[in-house]
Amino acid sequence: MTFDLRKRLAEEKGFSLTLGFITVRHHQFLSLLRPGLWISRFSGLCAQPRKSDPVCVIHRPRPMANSSSSWELPLVAVCQVTSTPDKQQNFKTCAELVREAARLGACLAFLPEAFDYIARDPAESLRLSEPLSGNLLGEYTQLARECGIWLSLGGFHERGQDWEQTQKIYNCHVLLNSKGSIVATYRKTHLCDIEIPGQEPMRESNSTLPGPSLESPVSTPAGKIGLAVCYDMRFPELSLALAQAGAEILTYPSAFGSVTGPAHWEVLLRARAIETQCYVVAAAQCGRHHEKRASYGHSMVVDPWGTVVARCSEGPGLCLARIDLNFLQKLRQHLPVFQHRRPDLYGNLGHPQS
């Protein structure tokens, strides 16, 4: 698809494209993997609502020697939204971004935690929740089929089978394939019960139950994806377990606060990418959801070297990145950290349970 056609398609739905040329000189080690390929090249494109400041910067990964053309690499889209208690308006916003991602050639679109809604209090959150068989997820399955795209639905307020007994829900990460079928569900295992000065206190356990287990990485058109949710990123054992189980992409759909976001968001995501040698995809909530809550935004994609290769800043929108698994495999070959681990000294941290 030519740039002019992509631009026209984006503008049909009121989006604009931001282009850029960026020179990135990687560490000398990377030059051994990708000799002579540090030179400036077309960085990609971003879609965001018209009449707003640019929200995204994208860097296409430079292919390593012997890798495919960058245009042949799978393209993923990361959607950034501002959810409110209005479920149908939230769906309309998310659907617009997913359709735009599909038009631009993405094979998989990532939506953030609480893409369905962000309520004003736990009681409202429970009242608005649905089972996986409910109407809202039905709309997303239809959307995936319509667009022919995989969807990572980063944190669905799920009424589980134990709803009648517990009156609590799960924070459920749902993965849909391009036919609209549920191929994986992961229920958030680390619940966010925190009190940070200057930020609204969080007591997720008041309304939510922790998930009982991790989900094995799932094969998708972009690579093998390990599912997590937001606060999970603070626990490297989880990311190491997913990497050991075969993950090539880790995803942390999130709703980070305005205090922890600037301090920890990018640092944690880059650390998870470096230590696991995985791509990390983090779709985020942004802006003010209602009078009681706001989120940091800055959705991003980080490559296995720890470089931020796509980023959103302020406001709803999406960014795109190509996933180069050849680069990932060569990096793991030249820097074989998993072969160097010493479980005899510190136990089997990060090893999947048998």
Side-chain angles (χ1 to χ4, degrees), residues 26-213:
H26 284 84
H27 189 278
Q28 186 177 4
F29 170 71
L30 276 192
S31 70
L32 298 176
L33 300 182
R34 300 180 283 188
L37 292 176
W38 58 265
I39 59 174
S40 172
R41 62 168 55 229
F42 170 57
S43 68
L45 51 90
C46 310
Q48 69 268 353
R50 198 189 300 275
K51 298 181 181 178
S52 68
D53 294 330
V55 300
C56 318
V57 175
I58 287 196
H59 314 241
R60 288 195 187 279
R62 269 77 39 204
M64 286 179 279
N66 303 321
S67 78
S68 303
S69 163
S70 64
W71 294 104
E72 298 174 3
L73 299 174
L75 186 70
V76 300
V78 185
C79 301
Q80 182 164 285
V81 300
T82 307
S83 292
T84 70
D86 187 336
K87 292 164 68 174
Q88 280 308 306
Q89 183 58 46
N90 296 336
F91 173 74
K92 181 179 178 182
T93 299
C94 290
E96 235 178 82
L97 290 173
V98 168
R99 292 188 179 104
E100 187 63 23
R103 287 191 189 92
L104 294 170
C107 63
L108 198 156
F110 294 83
L111 293 174
E113 182 182 31
F115 67 94
D116 49 353
Y117 61 86
I118 290 182
R120 296 177 183 86
D121 54 54
E124 183 178 44
S125 188
L126 292 172
R127 180 175 59 80
L128 293 173
S129 64
E130 298 183 17
L132 293 179
S133 59
N135 293 333
L136 185 61
L137 203 61
E139 292 184 277
Y140 278 97
T141 60
Q142 183 176 343
L143 178 66
R145 287 195 300 269
E146 170 197 326
C147 295
I149 192 172
W150 285 59
L151 294 179
S152 163
L153 304 178
F156 177 74
H157 295 81
E158 179 206 3
R159 291 190 184 186
Q161 294 182 351
D162 54 3
W163 164 254
E164 294 296 333
Q165 293 76 37
T166 66
Q167 294 295 295
K168 288 190 175 185
I169 58 178
Y170 292 95
N171 189 337
C172 184
H173 188 158
V174 182
L175 187 64
L176 302 179
N177 65 18
S178 57
K179 297 180 180 179
S181 299
I182 296 176
V183 295
T185 54
Y186 163 73
R187 293 163 180 89
K188 186 178 181 182
T189 50
H190 301 99
L191 300 184
C192 189
D193 289 355
I194 61 173
E195 291 189 22
I196 304 294
Q199 185 171 296
E200 187 71 19
M202 293 287 292
R203 283 288 180 268
E204 191 172 13
S205 63
N206 285 348
S207 60
T208 306
L209 295 168
S213 62

